Amino acid sequence: MTERLTVEFTPAEGAVIRVLGVVERRGYVLRGLSMKEKADTASLVIDVEPREASRRVPVLAQQLGRLVDVRSVSLAARDAGSLA
């Protein structure tokens, strides 16, 4: 099942690469990605799907929250047929 993570972070050199690197290294498939940026903050919306059933997206959200420059991470379930 595809789930949506919204990552709020401080735009800094390498911040997006760090977030996407954690997603990939933790065993998730990237299904969708969008980003919005303001003067001092940015928001990355990521649709992910675990490669294995044993992977849990809330754990990924906690791991992303520990990254430098990440302010918050929120999680919302997505319908697999309604990816935008």
Side-chain angles (χ1 to χ4, degrees):
M1 171 160 106
T2 302
E3 296 191 58
R4 175 167 284 176
L5 291 163
T6 302
V7 181
E8 301 285 335
F9 64 97
T10 304
E13 186 175 328
V16 173
I17 297 299
R18 282 190 291 277
V19 169
L20 296 178
V22 168
V23 170
E24 195 269 331
R25 285 189 304 273
R26 299 296 186 236
Y28 293 84
V29 178
L30 185 67
R31 296 292 184 202
L33 175 71
S34 68
M35 183 175 153
K36 296 177 187 173
E37 187 174 2
K38 295 180 184 174
D40 64 341
T41 188
S43 175
L44 193 60
V45 178
I46 309 168
D47 293 334
V48 296
E49 187 174 310
R51 285 194 186 116
E52 301 172 10
S54 63
R55 300 281 181 192
R56 295 180 41 235
V57 178
V59 173
L60 175 62
Q62 289 176 343
Q63 293 167 340
L64 290 171
R66 293 185 190 124
L67 289 176
V68 172
D69 299 320
V70 171
R71 295 179 179 179
S72 68
V73 180
S74 59
L75 173 66
R78 294 277 297 156
D79 178 13
S82 68
L83 292 177

